[in-house]
Amino acid sequence: MLYPRLNSSRALIDLSGIWDFQLDKSDTFTEAFACSPLENAITIAVPASYNDQKEGEDFRDHYGWVWYQKFFSVPACLLSERIVLRFGAVTQSARVYINGKLICKHKGGFLPFEVELNEHISPEENRLTVAVDNRVNHSTLPVGSEAGGNMLSGLIPDMPGVTPKKQNYPNFDFFNYCGITRPVKIYTTPKNYIKDITLIPSVGENSATVSYIVDTVGNGNVHLLVRNEAGKVVAEADGSEGSFIIPDVILWQPGNAYLYTAEVRFGEDTYSEPFGVRTVEVRGKEFLINGNPFYFKGFGKHEDSNFRGRGIDEVLNVKDLSLMNWIGANSFRTSHYPYSEEMMLLCDREGIVVIDETPAVGVNMNFGAAAGGEPKDTYKILQTREHHEEVIRDMICRDKNRACVVMWSIANESDTTAFPDSAAAYYKPLYDLAHCCDPQNRPVTIVGVQNEFVKDKTLPLTDVICLNRYYGWYVYGGDLKAAQQALSLELDYWEKLGKPLMFTEYGADTVAGFHATTPVMFTEEYQVDFYEAIHEVTDRYDFFIGEQVWNFADFATIQGIMRVVGNKKGLFTRDRQPKLAAHYFKERWHNIPDFGYKQPKS
Ligand code: BDP
């Protein structure tokens, strides 16, 4: 799906701003809200999560539907064009109405969707109403408990007369921020238009051959011009499918991005798609970018900030990448959902390497909010398969041309060991699907939870073993010697597989300002000691090809006894001030090269 752009053939109207808003306090869905202007509407800013924009528990922890409304007119000069309404993301699901008529539905909170408006709008003013549901359950990704019931309720006897408030019980460790979280735009195209562009570079001696497919609707001829960063035409091609050669190609490199632009013309339509030329390959125990063994230094992150919640914040995006530069990081994972298209385009420009993750988090009935009692077969209980396929397809379709994306993560911390065969049967087809959807055939991974790894039949199916490990925190917390021994035993086990392995999470909750001469858990000194201890072990293994810390910054979570006003594992605080460990990493990472840090023994 193409990112909406303003150019000589396409108009672009941004609907950001203050919208009318109301919580739907009924237990059901009140479609009547869509049929007239919202009564007693309150104000809300779009795009952003709504939760932290107003005061009160009822507002922040609202369970179910909310209603957004905005009035707009399309300039008369554009009415003869194809007019499209596009949402960057609405969390968790949406129904869209124009002048009271339902025109589209979308499930899933982190990927774009769009709908043609021509047959629905009037030349005068139009009423756009968006109903947004924040409920997570056994069929959504991320996963939550069914019908707002507390997954832990089996731990206490029934207590008649107690009526716990209805709320989401996420089976994941980040606040369920919701609403219209990314830009809402109207764009136009000519009636015959470019629907999608796919670019597949391969690198030769000094040149690159780029295969391309231009998906079009209507009649016309496709012409393609490729420009370098100076704007000079370096290649041309005709036809909706084919290839072109870029002579003296400049590669996209981590930390040293270079982007070309494919300027596509089709009849009266035109669209410019930026792209980088680079290769990605897993060979033996190595992860190669442009043929060189890459070492991942970076983070698991969140889209999370004060006031906006999970709403897009381009200032913060720029700042975060600047902090990554400062600290010597070269990469991050979009834990635990696809990030905004704006962030992906920025990473393309800044040369930051990205592991792109679906919102499949909490596919695990023996973990977090769902744990307790006898082990359960997650894959018999959850109904996520169809939606899981959908998010893999949509994410790859959206980000397929991004040079920054070097690997797809199709899930985070699913249950892979309670019922190992069920897990492998669920994941093998999804792993194959991801490969099959990606025109560039990037490596595919499934991020593994700390578990009885020797039973795991799923992770070994993937291209890179990605582990979230908490030795020294949840396991052997406060005993770093034991943590080192256990980690070392586990790495010995995985090494025999002959595949590259990296940490996609490891970390320790640290409350900024807590200090101790003899470190204890939660102090800034313990966080440093924790990382030093882990690195002492990981640095010994040549197949250990990357360290992504959990987390870049502190972030909001549901309230509970495990979290002190949110998850505090950040190297930075939520407002991006460094903890002691940030300085430790700055020293470490500036001394670790992006390429060739590990030399395989054989
Ligand atoms: C892992 C999850 C991550 C959590 C983290 C933690 O992947 O979302 O926030 O652990 O416990 O289980 O801090």
Side-chain angles (χ1 to χ4, degrees):
M1 184 187 267
L2 296 175
Y3 181 69
R5 291 179 190 282
L6 175 70
N7 64 27
S8 57
S9 67
R10 295 175 171 224
L12 188 63
I13 301 165
D14 189 351
L15 297 186
S16 296
I18 301 300
W19 290 42
D20 291 340
F21 184 84
Q22 248 186 38
L23 302 177
D24 190 338
K25 291 191 174 152
S26 70
D27 250 1
T28 52
F29 174 71
T30 322
E31 200 159 30
F33 279 117
C35 299
S36 54
L38 291 177
E39 273 173 40
N40 306 317
I42 60 171
T43 53
I44 208 86
V46 171
S49 305
Y50 60 78
N51 311 73
D52 287 349
Q53 291 192 48
K54 303 276 175 177
E55 311 322 304
E57 203 180 305
D58 285 357
F59 197 87
R60 187 196 59 209
D61 296 341
H62 175 73
Y63 175 76
W65 293 92
V66 300
W67 293 84
Y68 285 80
Q69 213 165 63
K70 177 101 185 156
F71 291 84
F72 72 94
S73 307
V74 174
C77 60
L78 298 176
L79 288 173
S80 58
E81 298 289 277
R82 173 175 167 264
I83 302 166
V84 184
L85 174 65
R86 188 185 196 275
F87 293 85
V90 181
T91 322
Q92 300 287 347
S93 63
R95 294 187 195 179
V96 180
Y97 299 80
I98 293 282
N99 304 325
K101 184 174 165 220
L102 178 67
I103 58 164
C104 115
K105 286 185 183 183
H106 185 259
K107 175 174 175 171
F110 304 94
L111 287 161
F113 60 96
E114 59 182 36
V115 53
E116 279 190 26
L117 286 184
N118 296 69
E119 58 176 289
H120 305 298
I121 48 170
S122 90
E124 308 301 326
E125 194 172 61
N126 294 281
R127 192 177 64 250
L128 166 63
T129 310
V130 186
V132 184
D133 188 5
N134 72 1
R135 285 172 300 176
V136 285
N137 55 39
H138 286 180
S139 78
T140 59
L141 294 171
V143 172
S145 69
E146 277 297 291
N150 188 341
M151 285 179 158
L152 297 177
S153 59
L155 297 180
I156 50 167
D158 272 353
M159 302 241 182
V162 179
T163 52
K165 68 176 176 190
K166 242 186 169 187
Q167 59 175 316
N168 275 301
Y169 286 97
N171 199 29
F172 48 91
D173 182 38
F174 47 94
F175 190 83
N176 187 35
Y177 278 119
C178 289
I180 304 180
T181 51
R182 293 183 192 154
V184 187
K185 291 181 178 168
I186 292 177
Y187 71 91
T188 67
T189 69
K191 286 278 158 67
N192 297 323
Y193 66 96
I194 302 161
K195 192 169 170 212
D196 201 8
I197 299 168
T198 303
L199 297 154
I200 312 154
S202 67
V203 178
E205 266 298 287
N206 286 317
S207 64
T209 304
V210 182
S211 308
Y212 71 89
I213 302 165
V214 179
D215 193 4
T216 56
V217 174
N219 301 318
N221 296 319
V222 171
H223 184 68
L224 220 115
L225 276 183
V226 181
R227 295 185 191 274
N228 65 13
E229 282 191 356
K232 185 170 166 250
V233 176
V234 292
E236 277 190 71
D238 282 299
S240 57
E241 219 168 299
S243 65
F244 53 84
I245 290 172
I246 304 179
D248 305 318
V249 68
I250 302 176
L251 297 181
W252 186 98
Q253 295 275 18
N256 198 6
Y258 191 93
L259 295 178
Y260 293 90
T261 306
E263 211 175 282
V264 180
R265 285 171 205 277
F266 171 68
E268 286 174 2
D269 197 15
T270 169
Y271 188 91
S272 292
E273 176 74 346
F275 70 99
V277 176
R278 54 102 191 86
T279 61
V280 177
E281 189 194 343
V282 172
R283 194 192 301 151
K285 293 188 275 184
E286 295 177 310
F287 192 98
L288 307 177
I289 299 183
N290 297 327
N292 295 314
F294 182 68
Y295 191 77
F296 291 82
K297 302 176 283 179
F299 301 96
K301 277 186 102 273
H302 267 297
E303 290 186 319
D304 171 275
S305 65
N306 281 317
F307 318 122
R308 288 175 172 78
R310 217 165 301 298
I312 187 168
D313 184 337
E314 297 212 67
V315 177
L316 198 63
N317 287 349
V318 169
K319 178 72 180 173
D320 282 0
L321 297 197
S322 164
L323 288 172
M324 284 193 207
N325 253 332
W326 173 85
I327 204 170
N330 56 21
S331 63
F332 69 88
R333 172 174 61 121
T334 71
S335 42
H336 296 307
Y337 35 80
Y339 289 3
S340 67
E341 292 156 289
E342 288 77 4
M343 183 54 146
M344 304 306 284
L345 289 161
L346 190 63
C347 290
D348 252 10
R349 279 190 62 175
E350 298 273 340
I352 293 285
V353 167
V354 177
I355 300 174
D356 207 355
E357 184 160 279
T358 71
V361 51
V363 183
N364 193 334
M365 293 306 291
N366 298 299
F367 176 76
E374 285 294 297
K376 298 170 233 126
D377 188 341
T378 298
Y379 305 95
K380 289 210 170 108
I381 300 168
L382 300 182
Q383 299 101 44
T384 46
R385 173 187 294 281
E386 211 178 298
H387 185 48
H388 208 150
E389 288 172 2
E390 205 166 71
V391 292
I392 289 173
R393 271 196 214 100
D394 289 357
M395 175 180 80
I396 296 179
C397 176
R398 190 193 76 164
D399 293 342
K400 59 184 178 295
N401 293 334
R402 298 286 74 82
C404 64
V405 176
V406 300
M407 178 153 62
W408 310 107
S409 160
I410 58 174
N412 178 71
E413 296 202 341
S414 292
D415 190 350
T416 49
T417 53
F419 292 83
D421 292 313
S422 293
Y426 178 88
Y427 274 109
K428 176 69 170 68
L430 295 179
Y431 165 86
D432 290 340
L433 175 71
H435 268 297
C436 159
C437 289
D438 181 13
Q440 294 188 13
N441 198 23
R442 295 161 177 93
V444 174
T445 192
I446 295 165
V447 168
V449 66
Q450 186 124 35
N451 59 14
E452 289 183 81
F453 50 88
V454 292
K455 293 188 182 162
D456 201 321
K457 295 184 177 175
T458 305
L459 260 55
L461 297 172
T462 66
D463 303 318
V464 176
I465 305 298
C466 287
L467 301 182
N468 295 350
R469 287 300 180 264
Y470 287 93
Y471 293 113
W473 189 253
Y474 297 121
V475 180
Y476 303 117
D479 185 351
L480 294 174
K481 192 102 224 126
Q484 286 183 316
Q485 290 163 345
L487 171 57
S488 179
L489 283 177
E490 180 168 358
L491 292 181
D492 289 345
Y493 171 83
W494 287 109
E495 192 171 26
K496 297 191 190 86
L497 202 64
K499 292 191 178 194
L501 176 147
M502 66 182 284
F503 274 178
T504 30
E505 286 184 27
Y506 62 126
D509 279 276
T510 304
V511 182
F514 279 17
H515 292 285
T517 49
T518 304
V520 290
M521 293 168 77
F522 293 101
T523 62
E524 296 196 33
E525 286 76 8
Y526 186 83
Q527 195 181 27
V528 173
D529 283 6
F530 167 93
Y531 283 117
E532 273 180 337
I534 298 297
H535 297 148
E536 235 178 75
V537 177
T538 56
D539 280 342
R540 295 204 295 261
Y541 291 85
D542 65 356
F543 81 119
F544 189 91
I545 53 111
E547 49 195 69
Q548 290 191 333
V549 165
W550 192 255
N551 186 285
F552 177 74
D554 294 347
F555 58 92
T557 62
I558 193 172
Q559 306 182 59
I561 50 165
M562 291 284 284
R563 298 289 174 250
V564 190
V565 195
N567 188 308
K568 296 282 188 261
K569 295 192 186 72
L571 291 195
F572 296 93
T573 59
R574 200 180 190 206
D575 61 1
R576 277 36 180 186
Q577 299 308 315
K579 298 180 191 170
L580 203 56
H583 297 285
Y584 160 74
F585 271 98
K586 182 171 186 283
E587 176 71 26
R588 174 175 168 82
W589 281 347
H590 281 289
N591 284 305
I592 293 180
D594 292 339
F595 292 104
Y597 180 51
K598 295 290 172 77
Q599 303 292 336
K601 286 173 208 116
S602 60

